[in-house]
Amino acid sequence: MSSGSGFVLVDKAGGWTSHDVVAKCRRILGMRRIGHAGTLDPRATGLLVLGIGRATRLLRFVTDLPKEYEATARFGVATDSLDADGEETERAPMSIDREDVVGAMDRFRGEILQTPPMVSAVKVGGKRLHELARRGEEVERPARRVRVHRLDLEGFSAGPFPEVRLRVVGGSGLYVRVLADDLARALGGRAHLSSLRRVASGSLRVEEAWTVDRLVRLGAEGRLAEAVLEPAVALSHLPSVSVDHDEAVRVSSGQRLPSPRDLDGHVRVIADGRLLAIYRAGDDRLVPEVVLA
């Protein structure tokens, strides 16, 4: 397995950091070169996309894909981390119903401004916010523009502290726990997430992912190759160009290629079903960005 290269989809369990998963998979796969496409909070579960070997250079083409989440929020109760692991900071019953939540959601679709939480990996002044938070410090955080592609209400349990179930599809940098709290603020209260599960990154689904325990068993059975997704498949959201042998030689040396007129943005360059490189479509040329061949 040490010579493998590709993507592994992991269904992360709660209580693990994304770094924990990477460290465990390094031992399971017998590889040092492993990275991931988008951190999941320790309490969150679901899809973590790993790049292994040379495919780590391709992770940026997955990181920016829209991500889909299933979230459950408790309205009326705030915590310092905006999730259930944090210390409670505010509690006040909220007299709202399902229609109130649906009405408030409209303002949180599309491009919105969002302030990162103190318990996050965002850096301010060269320091990660979670490091400052552990020291009891709170600093000003500039709001950032993020995109909410989809926001649906999937369940509402009435009461003084309503439970609200959401489905969210968001772009890179979106914090679902901040989104839930901002939604509650718009209704005159506060909220925190009681659960969060990432179910997709682009077209990559958690249903296709492996638990860490299952990867351990595959390793014991000598079947780890079954868990590795070919780069050409993992990046199927990008258009592709097939090349012949002579063009493949040019690609391996990073040469430019003629560009078909209908292409724009990043393109997979493929020979015999294998991903050779990612090129960027220019005016009349394909320009190499990442060459694997």
Side-chain angles (χ1 to χ4, degrees):
M1 191 61 210
S2 59
S3 62
S5 179
F7 291 86
V8 176
L9 308 185
V10 176
D11 186 351
K12 187 184 88 66
W16 290 54
T17 68
S18 299
H19 179 74
D20 290 338
V21 174
V22 169
K24 183 70 173 177
C25 287
R26 282 177 177 144
R27 293 191 292 272
I28 296 169
L29 301 171
M31 302 189 71
R32 292 296 304 166
R33 196 174 176 187
I34 298 181
H36 66 76
T39 300
L40 273 175
D41 292 335
R43 187 178 179 86
T45 67
L47 182 63
L48 189 67
V49 180
L50 304 184
I52 64 174
R54 291 178 300 166
T56 54
R57 300 171 60 202
L58 302 171
L59 282 169
R60 60 188 172 105
F61 302 107
V62 179
T63 301
D64 291 337
L65 290 174
K67 297 174 177 61
E68 181 178 351
Y69 298 90
E70 297 171 347
T72 301
R74 178 66 64 186
F75 277 37
V77 181
T79 70
D80 57 3
S81 61
L82 301 183
D83 63 24
D85 287 337
E87 294 290 329
E88 186 176 313
T89 58
E90 189 174 327
R91 175 179 288 263
M94 295 180 66
S95 298
I96 58 173
D97 57 25
R98 183 185 185 96
E99 288 68 32
D100 292 326
V101 178
V102 170
M105 287 167 64
D106 285 342
R107 72 187 74 174
F108 295 101
R109 297 186 180 100
E111 189 175 85
I112 63 172
L113 285 174
Q114 190 178 78
T115 302
M118 277 302 302
V119 182
S120 69
V122 174
K123 285 187 176 182
V124 172
K127 299 288 187 180
R128 295 198 183 276
L129 289 175
H130 64 76
E131 296 173 351
L132 298 174
R134 280 200 298 269
R135 299 204 298 258
E137 300 179 32
E138 184 165 352
V139 297
E140 288 291 325
R141 291 98 66 198
R144 305 187 302 175
R145 292 192 179 276
V146 294
R147 179 163 291 278
V148 178
H149 299 277
R150 176 182 172 188
L151 176 59
D152 297 333
L153 179 62
E154 298 214 319
F156 180 87
S157 298
F161 302 99
E163 183 180 84
V164 179
R165 291 192 293 109
L166 304 169
R167 184 169 298 274
V168 182
V169 179
S172 180
L174 175 72
Y175 283 93
V176 179
R177 51 197 161 110
V178 174
L179 179 64
D181 187 47
D182 286 346
L183 180 59
R185 287 175 185 266
L187 294 166
R190 298 291 306 277
H192 73 278
L193 287 188
S194 53
S195 70
L196 180 66
R197 181 166 176 79
R198 183 189 288 162
V199 296
S201 290
S203 63
L204 303 174
R205 305 285 308 181
V206 73
E207 293 85 357
E208 304 162 343
W210 306 80
T211 65
V212 169
D213 286 344
R214 182 63 178 131
L215 289 174
V216 170
R217 290 196 295 273
L218 285 179
E221 297 165 5
R223 298 166 51 203
L224 280 173
E226 296 178 21
V228 180
L229 195 61
E230 289 293 329
V233 176
L235 301 182
S236 60
H237 61 282
L238 298 177
S240 65
V241 171
S242 295
V243 296
D244 58 25
H245 174 74
D246 290 339
E247 290 172 318
V249 172
R250 294 176 60 192
V251 170
S252 66
S253 59
Q255 297 183 37
R256 297 186 176 192
L257 298 174
S259 176
R261 293 182 180 179
D262 60 343
L263 288 180
D264 187 31
H266 291 106
V267 180
R268 291 173 297 155
V269 179
I270 294 174
D272 299 324
R274 184 171 65 92
L275 183 68
L276 303 182
I278 300 294
Y279 273 55
R280 185 182 71 257
D283 293 335
D284 59 352
R285 288 285 184 272
L286 293 176
V287 181
E289 287 238 344
V290 179
V291 177
L292 300 178

